Amino acid sequence: MQPLEHASNSELLAALGGPRAAQSLMERFGGLSPIARASLDELQQLKGVGRAQATAIRSAFLLAQRLSQEAYQESPVLDTPERVADVLREPNRLHTVENLQVLCLNTRRRLIAVENVAQGLLDQVLVHAREVFAIAIAKRASAIILAHNHPSGDPTPSEADIRVTRDLIRAGHLLKIEVLDHVILGHRTVERPRDYCSLRELGYFAGH
C-alpha cells in the first residue's frame, strides 16, 4: 500500500468510509470543499454511507479546520489581504451561507479576535454598525478588518457589499476605530486562482 501522503482524495475518503462511500461522495460532490460543507444527513443519503462513515468523514474535516486554527496560536500580523485569507480560509470553507466576521486588531496589526457578527441568506448579510463596533470596543481594538464568504465561490463584491463597507468606514471614523479592509472569500478555480478579493485593493476605500 502506498503512503497516505501520496494517496488520492478518493483513496483517503475510502480509508474513512470504504470504497463504495468514496465513490458515492466523489460522484455526488465532485471535490473536497463541497463534501466539507455537507451535513451528516446529506452524507447519509448517499449509497454506502451509513452514520458511522458519515461521522468519520465529517469529523475529519472538522479536525482539519481546528488544525488550521491551532496554527495561529501566536497572534498573526494581518497587514495584507492574503494573510487575512490564510487565517479565515479553512473556518469559512464549511459555511453554506454568508457569514460576516470582524477581525479585531491591536496597534501593531496583530489579531486580537475573530467574531461572527451576522449570518444571512446566500446572497446577503444584514448588519448594523452598532453590532460591529460593539465587538471592537469590547475587545479594545484599535482597528478592524471586515470579512465574509461568498458560498457561490465568486469573491467579486456585490453592490450591497460595497454599500455596507462604506457605511462602516464612516462609522469607524466617528468612533476612531479604523476599518482597514473588507476581504471576501470564495473558491479557487482554474480561471480564478485567487480565492479572495480585497475591497481596499479594488479602490473602494479611496476618499474615506
Side-chain angles (χ1 to χ4, degrees):
M1 180 178 176
Q2 66 174 333
L4 287 176
E5 291 79 3
H6 301 142
S8 66
N9 291 343
S10 293
E11 289 168 335
L12 291 173
L13 289 169
L16 288 169
R20 188 178 179 191
Q23 182 179 353
S24 295
L25 287 164
M26 294 306 291
E27 287 177 354
R28 169 65 177 82
F29 296 104
L32 296 182
S33 291
I35 297 173
R37 293 192 293 272
S39 67
L40 276 175
D41 288 341
E42 289 175 312
L43 293 174
Q44 289 180 85
Q45 291 173 10
L46 302 177
K47 292 181 180 179
V49 182
R51 183 165 185 81
Q53 290 96 333
T55 300
I57 292 162
R58 183 79 177 141
S59 297
F61 283 106
L62 289 172
L63 284 170
Q65 181 185 36
R66 293 179 185 182
L67 177 62
S68 174
Q69 293 169 348
E70 280 188 9
Y72 295 102
Q73 287 182 350
E74 180 181 0
S75 296
V77 175
L78 301 184
D79 54 359
T80 67
E82 181 179 9
R83 289 183 174 181
V84 174
D86 287 344
V87 168
L88 296 178
R89 185 174 287 112
E90 289 307 319
N92 278 272
R93 194 181 300 277
L94 304 183
H95 294 324
T96 56
V97 298
E98 291 191 10
N99 284 260
L100 180 68
Q101 295 140 92
V102 176
L103 291 81
C104 299
L105 309 180
N106 64 20
T107 55
R108 297 188 177 185
R109 302 297 188 252
R110 283 196 178 276
L111 180 65
I112 299 171
V114 179
E115 298 285 343
N116 285 320
V117 180
Q119 186 178 78
L121 303 175
L122 284 173
D123 60 347
Q124 64 180 344
V125 168
L126 300 178
V127 62
H128 299 285
R130 63 178 176 270
E131 297 168 336
V132 171
F133 289 101
I135 292 170
I137 292 168
K139 298 295 182 181
R140 299 183 181 274
S142 64
I144 63 171
I145 295 173
L146 306 168
H148 78 279
N149 61 304
H150 276 181
S152 67
D154 184 355
T156 303
S158 67
E159 289 300 320
D161 295 336
I162 296 165
R163 183 175 62 255
V164 166
T165 301
R166 287 175 168 162
D167 288 345
L168 292 174
I169 292 171
R170 286 191 287 270
H173 286 163
L174 294 174
L175 294 168
K176 307 299 183 186
I177 298 175
E178 186 179 2
V179 180
L180 298 174
D181 203 346
H182 187 165
V183 176
I184 302 175
L185 296 157
H187 307 306
R188 290 189 180 95
T189 65
V190 175
E191 297 80 15
R192 188 181 60 244
R194 197 166 90 157
D195 62 349
Y196 65 90
C197 80
S198 157
L199 269 73
R200 178 176 287 279
E201 287 184 344
L202 292 175
Y204 292 113
F205 279 61
H208 289 276

